[in-house]
Amino acid sequence: MPVDTAVLHRFSLRAPLVATLAGAVLSLSGCTMFGGAKDPVVPVSASPDAGAQTVQASKLQKFLWIFSPYRPDIQQGNFISQEMLTQLKVGQTREQVKFLLGTPLLTDVFHADRWDFPFYLARGDGELTSSRVTVYFKDNKVEKFDGGNLPTEKEYIARIAGPSKVAAKEAPRREEAGSASIKINK
């Protein structure tokens, strides 16, 4: 049975077009290798005074976020704010530290007198924040602690939820034209 040449002609033009479109869609859809995304683990700084580190997503990654699947925010570890760290004092017991900072995420068998509180926040848009607080004990009392420059609680909430709209509402009101106020003297 002979094959019509018109059918072969349409198929030969359509196949490369479909293959090209499929390749473009696959490369832009959800492939993490395309956007230059790297390993999501952010190394915690070797310097204990470095404090919290934030790595922003590039403009290309933010643009390609439109084509990628939904990625939820991932938080791991204990968030320790600057206010919490100022309450920590040398000489406090382990129970007091646990009350202030929470249960340590890392306790090492080989370093029983050291508690590590790492924190990691990976936003769905590619922004990564990490910090680490380390508390050293001697005779079950705090000897020293390292934490560095940590964000305040308000800064952390603003990072997660966005800027506060309450501050805009608390702006001083000006009296409108035509309004009157009455002062009564006794």
Side-chain angles (χ1 to χ4, degrees):
M1 169 176 219
V3 178
D4 189 12
T5 57
V7 173
L8 288 177
H9 179 66
R10 277 198 289 167
F11 180 72
S12 65
L13 291 178
R14 195 177 291 175
L17 179 64
V18 170
T20 304
L21 287 175
V25 168
L26 287 176
S27 67
L28 292 176
S29 64
C31 183
T32 58
M33 299 304 286
F34 179 79
K38 296 176 180 63
D39 191 14
V41 177
V42 174
V44 179
S45 68
S47 170
D49 295 329
Q53 299 175 359
T54 301
V55 178
Q56 298 285 336
S58 68
K59 290 182 181 182
L60 177 64
Q61 287 173 329
K62 286 182 181 181
F63 172 73
L64 292 176
W65 175 78
I66 297 168
F67 301 107
S68 67
Y70 173 73
R71 290 186 176 97
D73 295 346
I74 299 172
Q75 176 182 331
Q76 295 176 330
N78 301 16
F79 170 72
I80 298 177
S81 66
Q82 189 64 42
E83 294 90 354
M84 294 167 71
L85 198 62
T86 56
Q87 293 178 4
L88 186 64
K89 306 285 185 221
V90 174
Q92 290 179 332
T93 64
R94 291 181 187 256
E95 289 78 23
Q96 291 172 324
V97 173
K98 210 179 265 192
F99 179 76
L100 287 175
L101 305 180
T103 304
L105 191 63
L106 297 174
T107 54
D108 191 357
V109 175
F110 300 107
H111 300 100
D113 292 334
R114 174 181 164 170
W115 284 358
D116 290 311
F117 297 88
F119 174 73
Y120 173 80
L121 174 67
R123 301 281 312 264
D125 62 357
E127 180 181 300
L128 302 169
T129 303
S130 67
S131 66
R132 178 182 297 247
V133 174
T134 305
V135 180
Y136 299 94
F137 294 96
K138 185 173 186 180
D139 299 327
N140 289 328
K141 303 262 186 201
V142 175
E143 179 183 19
K144 66 178 182 172
F145 53 91
D146 299 326
N149 185 6
L150 297 173
T152 64
E153 291 175 6
K154 286 184 179 181
E155 291 171 348
Y156 177 69
I157 292 172
R159 179 175 305 269
I160 291 177
S164 174
K165 296 178 182 175
V166 175
K169 291 181 182 178
E170 293 178 1
R173 295 185 206 170
R174 296 186 310 180
E175 291 188 21
E176 296 178 11
S179 66
S181 61
I182 300 173
K183 185 176 180 183
I184 301 175
N185 293 328
K186 290 188 179 182

